[in-house]
Amino acid sequence: MRVYVPLTLSGLAAVHGAGEIGPGPLTAYAVTPGLREWYVSDDIEELEYAALNRAAAASLRLIAAKPDEPRRRVVVALDVPDGAAVADPDHVLDAASLGEVRIADAVALSKAAAVHVDADDAEKDVAAAASALGAADLGDDDARFTVDGAEDHELLWFGIQEIPGLLA
């Protein structure tokens, strides 16, 4: 099963140093029944892209909580055994947690399929979105527009062997 783990650049550095993503439990995003129902598609690539975007939104929340964190979203795509990622049945249709899963234990970084990171030119919009996130959560339409501006940036794909270059 492919899951998407939201991180920050400093979190990616820690994961790279440790050789694993953890400790568990980990929050990740995947194609869950709730995500399928919400997205209304049978195309697995579209559904995985939706899960990746949910993880990118969670990465933005991690960034917003850390004022000194570089303003670039990070998502690690991992392959885990079926059944290792479990959706909370109490949150299946909760819009805030669509696609959210828990992984009980740490996962070796060698299980990563890719790392997705914002390009440098996204930093300004990601910084603005991180600042506006609280107001957007409270229903401010202008703040929501600012948050959506970060979501307009596509995350770039990198192989795990490229992590040292991303951190340099």
Side-chain angles (χ1 to χ4, degrees):
M1 170 180 227
R2 173 72 45 99
V3 299
Y4 300 91
V5 180
L7 293 174
T8 61
L9 278 174
S10 64
L12 181 62
V15 161
H16 184 256
E20 67 179 15
I21 300 176
L26 301 170
T27 298
Y29 293 82
V31 178
T32 62
L35 185 73
R36 282 181 187 275
E37 186 174 326
W38 171 74
Y39 199 76
V40 192
S41 174
D42 290 331
D43 185 324
I44 191 64
E45 288 183 15
E46 287 181 19
L47 290 164
E48 286 185 351
Y49 184 72
L52 170 66
N53 284 330
R54 300 293 294 176
S59 176
L60 179 64
R61 290 192 177 282
L62 295 172
I63 291 167
K66 298 180 178 182
D68 295 333
E69 185 67 41
R71 291 346 210 184
R72 291 172 65 196
R73 298 168 298 163
V74 177
V75 175
V76 176
L78 292 174
D79 292 319
V80 298
D82 288 343
V86 179
D88 183 343
D90 293 333
H91 291 84
V92 171
L93 296 177
D94 178 12
S97 60
L98 281 170
E100 188 175 293
V101 295
R102 296 275 186 275
I103 302 168
D105 300 311
V107 179
L109 187 57
S110 62
K111 299 289 184 188
V115 179
H116 301 272
V117 182
D118 274 313
D120 292 339
D121 67 354
E123 285 188 49
K124 181 180 174 186
D125 288 336
V126 172
S131 295
L133 200 52
D137 288 345
L138 295 173
D140 183 309
D141 288 337
D142 291 334
R144 182 76 246 163
F145 181 79
T146 301
V147 171
D148 290 346
E151 294 171 2
D152 289 341
H153 291 275
E154 295 287 332
L155 297 178
L156 303 177
W157 183 98
F158 296 91
I160 60 170
Q161 72 278 11
E162 296 178 273
I163 292 173
L166 289 169
L167 300 173

